[in-house]
Amino acid sequence: MPTPPLLTRLTPLLFVLLWSTGFIGAKFGLPYAEPLTFLSSRYVLVIALMSLLALAMRAPWPASPREALHIGVTGVLVQALYLGGVFMSIHRGLPAGISALVVGMQPLLTAALAGALLGERVSARQWAGLALGFGGVALVVGSKANVDGVDGGALIHMLVPALAALLGITAGTLYQKRFCPRFDLRTGSVMQFLPSLAITALIASQTETMRIEWTGDFVFALGWLVLVLSIGAISLLNLLIRSGSAVNVASLFYLTPPTTALIAWAMFDEKLSALAIAGMAIAVSGVWLARKG
């Protein structure tokens, strides 16, 4: 059954909205669990839910071990490396604004590699849009990062996981587009999260206490990240990678910091400066140019 055109047009906007709530979930949950322990519990629930759904609906599993391997690799890159890096950087004290700016370089890095790895042509208009989008993101997060004093010596320790996250989401997007753009979202989610759980839990067992405070805030954050992020947003990301170019998909990540700032303003009464609002408008214009290109 073909996807309705209206839903197809709304998918990028819905993805951005859901993906942007990830920082909010981290804000609620990380005070009560260490980052990799938090993610491990999240992955366990996703695997259980999606396995039950796949079995109940008799969803098709990968046709070959090779296909399963490719799907698993994308999961490790997008889940274990990207999410693990973001959560660890926030846990180490890196301001969310700086973390968003680091990961916000992903569209430019993806565009630089898409030609060589995927044979995609990045037009001058797309490059202009990507540069404009990055400038807008810099304005948005810069207005917040300036008020967060970070010691220079400690900054490197905080930045390493964020840089790993940047490489993970970039490599994961390109790898999936190249080797496994199409797979069943139900069984594919299980195949993506299983190796992510194995790697994340192994590292957590060696580096963390793996203790969780089961407060109301933590349960809410865990439920939100499982249902809305790991099932909802990741499924939308897989659909977008399936149907669009890597550069077009990556450009959407420019909209995450502005959208997160708007959600934080609505939920936590965080102030939005005129500079931040201007940056949002510039970022949206840059994404429009990049996707039109």
Side-chain angles (χ1 to χ4, degrees), residues 66-67 70 74 118 174-182:
R66 183 184 182 88
E67 182 183 0
H70 286 318
T74 64
L118 301 178
L174 293 170
Y175 189 96
Q176 184 170 332
K177 187 64 182 178
R178 172 67 177 84
F179 293 105
C180 53
R182 294 180 177 275

Side-chain angles (χ1 to χ4, degrees), residues 61-75 180 188 191-192 195:
W61 293 87
S64 66
R66 183 184 182 88
E67 182 183 0
L69 176 63
H70 286 318
I71 296 173
V73 170
T74 64
C180 53
M191 302 305 299
Q192 285 186 324

Side-chain angles (χ1 to χ4, degrees), residues 77-268:
L77 293 171
V78 175
Q79 307 299 335
L81 188 54
Y82 169 70
L83 291 179
V86 168
F87 274 55
M88 286 182 68
S89 68
I90 295 175
H91 182 72
R92 290 184 179 184
L94 187 69
I98 298 178
S99 179
L101 181 59
V102 172
V103 180
M105 291 189 290
Q106 189 234 343
L108 287 174
L109 187 57
T110 299
L113 297 173
L117 299 179
L118 301 178
E120 291 185 8
R121 178 180 175 274
V122 183
S123 67
R125 179 171 178 169
Q126 284 180 301
W127 278 116
L130 291 168
L132 189 64
F134 182 76
V137 169
L139 286 177
V140 173
V141 301
S143 66
K144 299 175 73 64
N146 285 338
V147 300
D148 295 313
V150 180
D151 177 74
L155 184 60
I156 295 177
H157 177 69
M158 299 177 186
L159 277 175
V160 169
L163 292 171
L166 168 63
L167 295 177
I169 192 66
T170 302
T173 301
L174 293 170
Y175 189 96
Q176 184 170 332
K177 187 64 182 178
R178 172 67 177 84
F179 293 105
C180 53
R182 294 180 177 275
F183 53 82
D184 186 272
L185 297 179
R186 296 156 296 185
T187 55
S189 293
V190 177
M191 302 305 299
Q192 285 186 324
F193 280 98
L194 275 173
S196 299
L197 171 61
I199 292 174
T200 303
L202 177 62
I203 298 175
S205 69
Q206 301 300 311
T207 61
E208 299 179 354
T209 64
M210 299 195 78
R211 287 197 295 266
I212 297 175
E213 294 181 47
W214 291 94
T215 65
D217 282 349
F218 179 80
V219 172
F220 169 79
L222 181 61
W224 183 270
L225 292 177
V226 168
L227 297 174
V228 177
L229 269 294
S230 294
I231 295 178
I234 292 296
S235 295
L236 292 175
L237 177 61
N238 288 332
L239 287 174
L240 289 167
I241 292 174
R242 177 185 301 179
S243 60
S245 72
V247 175
N248 276 352
V249 174
S251 67
L252 293 173
F253 286 90
Y254 276 151
L255 299 180
T256 299
T259 306
T260 301
L262 284 173
I263 296 172
W265 168 76
M267 292 185 64
F268 306 112

Side-chain angles (χ1 to χ4, degrees), residues 22-33:
F23 283 104
I24 307 302
K27 183 181 180 72
F28 274 110
L30 279 176
Y32 308 105

